[in-house]
């Protein structure tokens, strides 16, 4: 476990990397004693430092393949801040290694319970699900990340875009929703909602219980990104992405 001073120093390294567009070595190399608790505390230090409104959370490592790659048995999470919500375009130069992921966003109408939150609780509290693209990025060199690195780095989250469609969760089988991602018109990824822990609502329930252990609740009005239906795809200047979801519409994001 790190000292408070080391946590603050690590947080500053991540802030500088994002600000200056210069990646850093993995925190697990710079601070070999860093653990998961340290990583979440570093994430929180930088969330507070940004002094923006928290409008939701994202779940990462929600596929079995990613968990096995990281050597973990549960997802991780990051914060969604109001200045991370995109309006159709993203400035590619503002990121280091931008990638996009295809997600089914949950828009909450009621607060979720913490410990013991169930899928039924999630579905009852969700006003709508919506098509979404998450923009992920890493302030660590060449995405050479371990679990502690991605957690400290806000679960590698950098932005997100919601499509206009809104569907009540009772109107579709979320796990069976087929999703595709096209880059400049070419199909580059496809998947289904159940790639996320078998059901994206399971990821939201996990998140509600997890953040409760840090004294945080998922609240009415929050946006929750439960994890990607597809693999992440690199984004380059000029790329135009369209994610399409069966029964849930589409969402577009252009990199300038």
């Amino acid at each position: 476990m790190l000292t408070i001073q080391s946590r603050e120093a690590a947080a500053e390294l991540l802030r500088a990397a994002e600000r200056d567009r210069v990646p850093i070595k993995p925190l697990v190399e710079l601070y070999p004693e860093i653990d998961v608790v340290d990583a979440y505390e570093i994430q929180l230090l930088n969330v507070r430092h940004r002094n923006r409104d928290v409008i939701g959370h994202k779940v990462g490592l929600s596929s079995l393949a990613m968990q096995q790659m990281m050597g973990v048995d549960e997802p991780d999470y990051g914060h969604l801040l109001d200045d991370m919500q995109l309006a159709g375009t993203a400035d590619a130069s503002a990121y280091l290694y931008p990638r996009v992921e295809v997600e089914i966003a949950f828009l909450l109408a009621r607060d979720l319970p913490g410990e013991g939150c169930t899928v039924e609780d999630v579905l009852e509290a969700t006003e709508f699900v919506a098509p979404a693209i998450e923009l992920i990025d890493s302030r660590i060199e060449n995405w050479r990340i371990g679990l502690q690195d991605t957690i400290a780095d806000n679960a590698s989250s950098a932005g997100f875009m919601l499509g206009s469609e809104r569907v009540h969760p009772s109107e579709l089988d979320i796990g069976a929703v087929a999703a595709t991602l096209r880059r400049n018109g070419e199909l580059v990824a496809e998947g289904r909602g159940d790639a996320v822990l078998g059901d994206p609502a399971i990821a939201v329930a996990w998140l509600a219980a997890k953040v409760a252990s840090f004294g945080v609740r998922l609240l009415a009005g929050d946006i929750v990104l439960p994890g990607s239906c597809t693999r992440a795809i690199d984004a380059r200047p000029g790329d135009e992405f369209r994610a399409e979801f069966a029964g849930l519409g589409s969402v577009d994001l252009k990199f300038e």
Side-chain angles (χ1 to χ4, degrees):
M1 182 171 285
L2 300 180
T3 64
I4 293 174
Q5 292 79 8
S6 291
R7 288 176 178 174
E8 291 173 344
E12 170 55 30
L13 285 174
L14 290 169
R15 290 200 300 273
E18 183 174 15
R19 180 185 66 239
D20 302 333
R21 311 291 184 264
V22 178
I24 62 172
K25 293 181 178 179
L27 294 180
V28 294
E29 293 180 8
L30 297 173
Y31 301 95
E33 66 276 26
I34 188 173
D35 63 18
V36 168
V37 173
D38 292 320
Y40 278 119
E41 290 297 335
I42 292 166
Q43 181 186 134
L44 284 169
L45 284 171
N46 280 340
V47 168
R48 294 178 188 129
H49 188 270
R50 286 178 67 162
N51 195 31
R52 304 292 305 199
D53 290 337
V54 176
I55 60 173
H57 289 81
K58 60 86 48 107
V59 180
L61 306 181
S62 56
S63 73
L64 180 59
M66 286 300 296
Q67 290 179 21
Q68 289 175 340
M69 187 179 79
M70 288 290 186
V72 298
D73 59 3
E74 69 174 21
D76 68 351
Y77 75 87
H79 290 71
L80 302 178
L81 308 180
D82 61 349
D83 61 348
M84 293 169 62
Q85 187 160 6
L86 303 169
T89 60
D91 178 1
S93 68
Y95 309 98
L96 286 161
Y97 310 107
R99 295 174 174 174
V100 299
E101 293 184 334
V102 174
E103 310 220 8
I104 299 171
F106 286 67
L107 312 182
L108 300 183
R110 297 200 300 274
D111 298 356
L112 282 176
E115 184 178 357
C117 183
T118 66
V119 167
E120 290 72 25
D121 293 328
V122 171
L123 296 178
E124 289 174 4
T126 299
E127 183 174 18
F128 299 114
V129 290
I133 287 175
E134 184 184 6
L135 193 172
I136 61 172
D137 194 16
S138 181
R139 276 55 72 165
I140 308 297
E141 290 176 345
N142 299 315
W143 281 99
R144 197 160 52 90
I145 56 174
L147 177 64
Q148 293 92 322
D149 294 302
T150 185
I151 291 174
D153 197 16
N154 197 32
S156 302
S157 191
F160 67 97
M161 173 74 193
L162 298 181
S164 60
E165 193 78 17
R166 300 288 183 270
V167 177
H168 191 272
S170 65
E171 296 177 13
L172 78 170
D173 180 348
I174 299 172
V177 170
T180 59
L181 180 66
R182 296 182 183 275
R183 179 174 60 189
N184 305 324
E186 177 188 358
L187 180 65
V188 289
E190 54 189 334
R192 282 172 37 120
D194 56 12
V196 181
L197 296 182
D199 181 344
I202 293 174
V204 180
W206 171 87
L207 176 64
K210 186 68 174 181
V211 297
S213 68
F214 290 88
V216 177
R217 292 284 297 277
L218 299 185
L219 304 175
D222 279 357
I223 300 165
V224 180
L225 300 180
S228 183
C229 304
T230 70
R231 66 188 181 93
I233 300 296
D234 291 340
R236 308 158 303 195
D239 279 343
E240 297 185 19
F241 289 92
R242 164 163 282 206
E244 296 180 314
F245 303 77
L248 191 56
S250 62
V251 55
D252 298 285
L253 181 62
K254 181 178 181 179
F255 283 78
E256 298 180 333

